[in-house]
């Protein structure tokens, strides 16, 4: 599968990332209706093994490899994406109201760096559209709901937006991720500050306390936080009884890139993902794991571009991993490749 993708990738990369994304979404719609299509994709891409099963924050995952937020923002293709071997799919970020996101172009590949810079700005069709789509989800899959606020909502009203998304998605997803770390929505990352974060999180935990079933709530962090800021966020997680963290979102850093400076400057603002983030995200996971004595569940995401990167993330203390940019560069078989390697290394340890 990866050899075939190596052949197609240069052709796909001739087109803009958003065009290819639309094309891929169209192909997933075709897959939905093609008889036997999903089973065929699963056979080619997925890898199943008993050793891969994990229970994290009370949920059984068939394997530890998930699809990160941002690829299926509106939960349109959860069932089809799972056939590529993902043990969970994170939808979103969704906001209460539909919004177009930032002006285009807003997503750029850096092939020399195996990276992407994006400033999508929470483009999505609104939480109600996601809820409608999730009615068609296969109930045996694990689906996370990543929630955000509308760009026009000022930060002091942000708790209302998070609560609206949380309440609407509550019956349709298995766990939640509070996204306060996207660098592409003006001032959003200020919500990682202790007091503001506490206000948002308390609304959600109070809402959860009134529900018949308790669903895990995780916090998605920026890789650019200083240790002091990270400690403050972790204090909120502990004090408010959150169930884990997702580390990390994209970075605003640009150091060490191989792509020409003129290209990077021409692209402008945005979050960087992919290979340049590998070490930074790994260190964030290691730091959080050490700080919490390995007791806090961590989803490790950022720069997982090879199966070994995923193994390193798990060794650093992550219970689960997620990929986005690696899936774009390595292709449809990537989740299966990671699963095969994780199972191999687990078996060797037995
Ligand atoms: C085009 C694009 C859109 C993204 N959109 C979101 C989003 O809506 N919400 C979110 O929490 N993360 C979003 N992310 C961040 C990813 O979920 C992930 O945290 C980040 O890309 C690092 O992982 P990677 O190096 O495997 O891509 C987006 C990433 C990309 C590349």
């Amino acid at each position: 599968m990866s050899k075939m993708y190596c052949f197609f990738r240069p052709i796909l990369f001739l087109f803009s990332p958003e065009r290819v994304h639309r094309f891929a979404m169209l192909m997933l719609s075709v897959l939905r209706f093609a008889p036997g299509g999903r089973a065929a994709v699963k056979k080619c891409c997925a890898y199943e093994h008993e050793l891969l099963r994990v229970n994290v924050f009370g949920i059984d995952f068939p394997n530890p490899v998930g699809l990160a937020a941002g690829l299926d923002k509106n939960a349109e293709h959860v069932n089809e994406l799972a056939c590529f071997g993902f043990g969970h799919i994170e939808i979103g970020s969704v906001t209460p109201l539909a919004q177009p996101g930032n002006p285009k172009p807003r997503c750029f590949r850096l092939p020399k760096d195996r990276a992407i810079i994006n400033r999508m700005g929470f483009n999505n069709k609104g939480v109600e559209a996601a809820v409608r789509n999730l009615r068609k989800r296969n109930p045996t899959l694990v689906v996370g709901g990543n929630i955000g606020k509308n760009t026009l909502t000022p930060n002091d009203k942000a708790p209302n937006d998070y609560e609206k998304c949380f309440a609407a998605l509550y019956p349709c997803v298995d766990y939640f991720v509070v996204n306060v770390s996207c660098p592409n929505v003006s001032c959003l990352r200020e919500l990682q500050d202790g007091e503001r974060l506490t206000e948002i999180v308390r609304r959600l935990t109070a809402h959860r306390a009134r529900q018949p079933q308790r669903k895990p709530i995780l916090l998605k962090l920026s890789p650019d936080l200083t240790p002091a800021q990270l400690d403050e966020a972790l204090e909120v997680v502990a004090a408010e009884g959150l169930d884990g963290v997702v580390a990390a979102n994209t970075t605003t850093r640009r150091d060490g890139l191989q792509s020409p400076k003129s290209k990077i400057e021409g692209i402008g603002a945005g979050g960087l993902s992919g290979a340049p983030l590998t070490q930074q995200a790994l260190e964030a996971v290691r730091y959080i794991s050490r700080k919490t004595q390995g007791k806090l569940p961590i989803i490790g995401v950022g720069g997982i571009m090879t199966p070994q990167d995923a193994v390193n993330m798990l060794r650093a203390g992550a219970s689960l991993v997620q990929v986005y940019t690696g899936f774009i560069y390595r292709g449809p078989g990537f989740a299966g490749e990671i699963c095969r390697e994780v199972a191999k290394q687990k078996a060797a340890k037995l």
Side-chain angles (χ1 to χ4, degrees), residues 11 26 56 75 82 150 165 169 178 201 242 248 272 315:
I11 302 168
L26 184 73
V56 189
N150 279 114
C165 294
L169 282 177
V178 182
V201 165
L242 293 192
L272 174 70
R315 285 201 184 131

Side-chain angles (χ1 to χ4, degrees), residues 90 175-177 181 218-222 244-249 288 297-301 322:
E90 196 169 301
Y175 72 89
F176 283 92
V177 175
S181 49
L218 286 81
L219 184 65
K220 187 161 181 177
L221 298 165
S222 162
V245 292
V246 182
N249 214 315
I288 297 165
I298 305 169
I299 301 184
V301 51
Q322 291 180 341

Side-chain angles (χ1 to χ4, degrees), residues 303-329:
I304 296 179
M305 307 301 285
T306 65
Q308 189 58 44
D309 290 338
V311 170
N312 295 345
M313 200 61 120
L314 294 168
R315 285 201 184 131
S319 307
L320 301 165
V321 295
Q322 291 180 341
V323 295
Y324 188 135
T325 309
F327 187 50
I328 306 296
Y329 279 86

Side-chain angles (χ1 to χ4, degrees), residues 68-71 73 90 92-93 107 116 118 120 122 146 179 220 248-250 273-274 277 301-305 322-326:
L71 199 138
K73 289 184 191 271
E90 196 169 301
S93 298
C107 191
I116 292 175
N118 93 83
M120 304 300 288
F122 284 177
N146 182 308
N179 183 5
K220 187 161 181 177
N249 214 315
T250 53
S273 59
L277 189 56
V301 51
I304 296 179
M305 307 301 285
Q322 291 180 341
V323 295
Y324 188 135
T325 309

